[in-house]
Amino acid sequence: MVYKMEGSSMENQLIIKRNQQPEPFNADKIMRILNLACRNFPLDPHKPLDNLLSALPQQISSSQLMNDLTLAALNLTSVEEPEWKNAAGRLKLFALYKQVSITRGTNHQGSPIPYDYLRFLDFAVKHNVYSADILNHYDSKELSQAAA
């Protein structure tokens, strides 16, 4: 789907990635993130992007776009749709996960979660970040569910 803004298509918009490389605006990519943020909430994930498009500059950094999407979602919070605050919180977490992924030098391959939770948990127990009791108290199915 190509979004329109002021008579021109969004195909002319550029997103400046964190590595400073420009990338064409991709509404489908943004919608995947918004769909994840709105998952299990009775929300229309198109709303934050629709609200944001009228103010989108010709070029924007990917981190600024994520911040703007988060604010757009937060601004939709109302008595009728209070879940927007939760979707905005998820968007903020996705941005944090991205920054953690960059800092750790890991590639989260399109997932907003930058690590394998079970592998992280094993690492944390081995390095005394978490007690081994967590592995004794919960089975792998419960831990997988917690990671989801």
Side-chain angles (χ1 to χ4, degrees):
M1 171 182 219
V2 176
Y3 285 87
K4 299 281 184 182
M5 182 176 98
E6 298 174 13
S8 66
S9 88
M10 296 306 299
E11 293 172 334
N12 298 325
Q13 302 301 114
L14 289 177
I15 307 300
I16 308 302
K17 304 295 286 179
R18 293 172 204 264
N19 65 5
Q20 301 307 309
Q21 295 299 311
E23 179 178 287
F25 179 86
N26 184 338
D28 291 335
K29 188 174 183 181
I30 294 169
M31 284 310 305
R32 282 193 300 272
I33 293 167
L34 288 170
N35 282 324
L36 279 173
C38 294
R39 188 177 64 188
N40 297 325
F41 296 129
L43 300 172
D44 176 3
H46 293 90
K47 280 185 176 181
L49 186 56
D50 291 344
N51 290 348
L52 182 64
L53 290 180
S54 63
L56 195 64
Q58 190 67 26
Q59 292 186 13
I60 187 170
S61 69
S62 57
S63 58
Q64 185 61 50
L65 177 60
M66 194 65 169
N67 286 339
D68 291 353
L69 280 173
T70 303
L71 288 174
L74 191 58
N75 285 334
L76 289 168
T77 303
S78 66
V79 173
E80 295 82 20
E81 293 182 310
E83 296 87 358
W84 279 114
K85 72 180 180 317
N86 298 321
R90 284 181 179 172
L91 289 168
K92 191 65 175 170
L93 277 173
F94 297 165
L96 178 62
Y97 292 154
K98 177 69 173 186
Q99 187 59 46
V100 167
S101 176
I102 290 167
T103 301
R104 290 182 178 175
T106 60
N107 181 359
H108 56 87
Q109 300 174 0
S111 168
I113 301 173
Y115 56 84
D116 176 344
Y117 180 73
L118 296 177
R119 201 169 90 204
F120 164 76
L121 193 57
D122 186 53
F123 172 87
V125 168
K126 285 180 183 173
H127 290 87
N128 296 318
V129 175
Y130 290 154
S131 167
D133 291 341
I134 196 166
L135 297 176
N136 298 329
H137 206 277
Y138 299 100
D139 63 31
S140 61
K141 183 179 177 184
E142 291 170 316
L143 292 171
S144 294
Q145 184 178 7

